Amino acid sequence: MKLKAGVIISEVDGTYFGVAAGEAGKAFNGLIQMNKTAAFIAQNLQEDTTEEQLIAKLEEKYLVSQIEAQSNISKVLAQFKAIGLLE
Amino acid sequence: MELLHGIYRWAEITVEIYHHYPYLQEQCRAYRSNDKPQFSLTLTAEDLAQERQKADSPNYPADYLESLACYRKFCELAAPEGVLLFHSSAILLEGKAYLFAAPSGTGKSTHARLWREIWGERAIMLNDDKPLLRVKPEAILAYGSPWDGKHHLSCNLAAPVQGICFLSQGRENKIARLNWRQALPQLLAQIYRPEEIAIMQQIWQLTTEIAKRIPLWQLSCTISKEAARLAYQTMSGGIL
């Protein structure tokens, strides 16, 4: 799974935002505000990946437990799915 | 069909346009330029077909679609120059531009008309629908353009932006300052969004800069001169 092409993730003064253009822009034209963890997950979803790979990356990056990583990822995936940005 | 040709200058960008229909020439008359063009745009049958797909009505005539396509293509080449289209009603008063934005039908043109009723000829409509903004190191400027809404109110002038005010209808008149994070979703919603990712990145960067540098306001108001006076007094003083 991955995000549709065209999700632009950027940090502005400590806040993370997502906007969409291209294919992603056809599905979503709002503004996503994210925390650092969600932005990290979103960045990793720019390339094709699996939930297991995401969990491993999050555990490594933030030294969180597998359960915590899984819970974070599920939430972020559900949100991206809800706004139509997940391929 | 032989192509028509004209050189125009919008937001300090000079562009030559090759196109098919005289409507565009007529519309852009006040923006003709004798400068050497920095860019060249050719409006093709394919551009028109794409515009027809995007249009909110299937019945627009070809010359109107050509005009829409022209502004779209211009905005896409203008983004790297620091220029974007901000859907709003832009009023010029005392050398400063006051911008009112809201979802269509909220009454931003009506609010702008009240400014003209209060200040008469001193309040000039820069553009009643789709002004251009240019982000410069020293200032952010608003520019007139001939894509100016159903009442065709605009002029070929520019002024530094004094403030951006988001309008909503209310039972009483209240104005409050917004911080840039609060205002970003509303700001972005009224900015022209290109399909191309690289251009959207530039537009997004310009949008955040505008949000951080320009005072942003939320005005909940009735349709009244009191609302217009409140907006002016607050925005011109820059204080609450």
Side-chain angles (χ1 to χ4, degrees), chain B residues 33-101:
Chain B
S33 169
N34 295 316
D35 295 353
K36 190 168 173 278
Q38 295 161 260
F39 299 98
S40 180
L41 275 183
T42 303
L43 299 165
T44 62
E46 197 185 327
D47 292 326
L48 253 69
Q50 279 182 14
E51 210 57 49
R52 185 168 279 122
Q53 277 188 345
K54 289 183 181 120
D56 47 25
S57 157
N59 302 321
Y60 288 142
D63 56 359
Y64 180 66
L65 291 172
E66 182 177 73
S67 162
L68 294 179
C70 179
Y71 209 23
R72 185 185 303 281
K73 287 183 100 171
F74 172 77
C75 288
E76 296 188 354
L77 69 81
E81 308 292 308
V83 172
L84 55 72
L85 185 168
F86 180 53
H87 183 213
S88 61
S89 211
I91 308 158
L92 175 56
L93 183 64
E94 296 164 338
K96 300 279 168 57
Y98 294 82
L99 274 48
F100 291 90

Side-chain angles (χ1 to χ4, degrees), chain B residues 167-222:
Chain B
L167 285 182
S168 59
Q169 289 175 3
R171 267 188 238 155
E172 49 184 341
N173 298 318
K174 275 186 299 188
I175 188 164
R177 183 89 184 243
L178 299 174
N179 69 43
W180 68 266
R181 282 185 184 83
Q182 292 169 313
L184 253 184
Q186 294 187 83
L187 187 66
L188 187 68
Q190 301 304 334
I191 283 172
Y192 169 68
R193 304 180 68 150
E195 275 178 30
E196 207 178 301
I197 298 162
I199 300 174
M200 187 59 210
Q201 269 166 334
Q202 287 158 342
I203 298 271
W204 166 245
Q205 202 268 328
L206 294 171
T207 304
T208 56
E209 221 175 299
I210 290 167
K212 291 203 281 182
R213 286 172 55 185
I214 298 287
L216 304 159
W217 306 91
Q218 182 83 49
L219 174 65
S220 166
C221 64
T222 59

Side-chain angles (χ1 to χ4, degrees), chain A residues 39-59:
Chain A
F40 177 79
I41 296 167
Q43 280 297 8
N44 280 288
L45 275 165
Q46 302 271 21
E47 303 285 327
D48 203 17
T49 187
T50 64
E51 207 160 333
E52 289 69 38
Q53 286 171 328
L54 284 175
I55 291 168
K57 277 185 180 153
L58 205 62
E59 282 180 295

